[in-house]
Amino acid sequence: MSSTIEGFGLGLRSEHYGDFRATRQRVDWLEVISENYLVDGGKPLHFLESIRQDYPMVMHGVSLSIGSSDALDTDYLRQLRRLADRIEPAWVSDHLCWTGTRSLNLHDLLPLPYNVATLQHLTPRIAQVQDVLGRALVIENVSSYVRYRADEMSEWEFIRELVSRTGCELLLDVNNVYVSSVNHGFDAQDFIDAMPASAVRQIHLAGHEDHGQYIIDTHDHPICEAVWDLYAYTVRRLGRLPTMIERDDNIPPLHELIDELDVARSVAQAALNERKRAA
Amino acid sequence: MVLAELQRRFQEAVLGGNPLPDLFAGEEEGLAGGFDLYLQAYRSRLAAALRDNFPVLHRALGDDAFSTLAGAYIREHPSRFRSIRWFGDSLTDFIARFPERVGHPALLDLARMDWAMRAAFDAADSAATKLPDLAALHADEWPEHRFHLMPSLQILDLTWAVEPLWKALNDDAEARTEEPQIQEHALLIWRPALDCCWRSAEAGEAAALRALGESENFAHWCAALAKAGEPEPAMAAATLLRRWVEEGLLAKSAVPV
């Protein structure tokens, strides 16, 4: 099983299991939602293992709740480790967020207050996760619709400091940067400029819904022009990075996503050429 | 404010539908940014999970009635699950306590069938016992031989004959259906390989199948059949075993927990 992640990937969705099993697709690697495979058996694990034979994979979780004030769920961490041992992903990622407290789960990626106390809360927890997984945790920035009064710094300052304190790596979601920049009125390029280039392992691209006052991170549309522009800027700043498209609703036929991946390839190539010229 | 208190207040506001939890920039002016988006997303995400986990009940009730049921359930049963896939585990109990919420008492059995099918879908795998496995047993091995049920197998005791309704709506959301009739019986749901199977069964067969799963060995099971009033337990055992093996109801070995 190859584990090298380079180039352009997609999120593996059950709607496309048949396509991936039928023939080799023009997709360099796949990202799988960890929780979809934390089950005892049946089709999900069967198809995952079969498709894993042909594609490098990374695991992406949605319920680690690294920022919750509850203790980390050690059963969940052990399950995650078992799945990682089974499919040997190049890395394991989850979100810089909390999903619930007092043993409840709101099943959402909720933003954290960006302050020193939260950094102090996260530092030993990330170490605990990295111990169990036996590898660096890759953390993704979330999109958000609120700002706390308790914030003491910007999100990008917070992320830089988190990387510095914990050695975690980053999954930079360019769409989430764009969504939050519009919702909160900051310059998305400031966010990208602040990312520690050596820590960024992966890029996410996705579509969103524009509701006027707010943009909502829905993953149910093609990627919009403004996000393509921000992606080009990101590649110019950070260089070549494994990039994938997330689509979780209104899932189109696989060939449409592969066409969209071709757009990502050409945007990245043009940005790399510019980067080379500017160097 | 410490993180635990901030999160407690955020969560209570989401669960209680309070748009101004006194946490966010802008609340002084009566605007909590986009907090209402979190309130809406919470309810719609959990309702969508219930629709996924109870697809045929959703079709039977229609969007509006299912949405009302889901809303009431979400208010009473906030999720404690790491994965949303398990949300709805108490919906059948919830319906049993308030059957008027689904309009017809048979829909409780329909919901139980939905949930059991979902559970069988990703239950633990096991190779099925095949007839040659039994043929390979020596005569003196039979009394001590332990049989195992498929880990995906569920035996439901139903009051209503809901299977035709479930099948019709599962195959076609717009199917014309008939009202189910009262009929006490059992429903077997299992997954011999990758695809789920189901069939109705007499109560006696279901009891024998449960007894096989609980019996230490074949001899004990035959004794249990005799005790249950089976006049020719050995003959009955052979007939049942053959059918169950052919259907893939029995596992080759116990699945480690």
Side-chain angles (χ1 to χ4, degrees), chain A residues 39-43 46 63 67 69 73 76 98 100-102 104-105 107-108 111 121 145-149 214, chain B residues 3-4 7-8 10-11 22-25 27-28 32-34 38 45 79 81-82 122-125 191 194-195:
Chain A
V39 292
D40 292 328
K43 281 184 182 175
H46 174 81
S63 45
S69 47
D73 182 338
Y76 171 77
W98 63 291
T101 185
R102 302 190 169 199
L104 295 183
N105 193 343
H107 297 289
D108 204 342
H121 177 68
Y145 314 101
V146 289
R147 294 174 108 163
Y148 294 102
R149 288 184 194 137
Y214 284 94
Chain B
L3 187 64
Q7 292 181 346
R8 183 196 65 76
F10 190 120
Q11 179 165 289
D22 196 18
L23 289 171
F24 306 119
E27 281 191 77
E28 301 82 358
Y38 292 101
R45 189 170 289 121
S79 173
F81 297 102
R82 191 52 65 175
D122 52 16
D125 300 320
R191 207 190 71 238
L194 288 178
D195 293 314

Side-chain angles (χ1 to χ4, degrees), chain B residues 165-182:
Chain B
L165 173 63
W166 189 93
K167 182 176 186 321
L169 288 176
N170 186 57
D171 293 348
D172 174 8
E174 306 301 325
R176 291 174 64 87
T177 56
E178 291 184 10
E179 186 180 354
Q181 300 300 305
I182 285 191

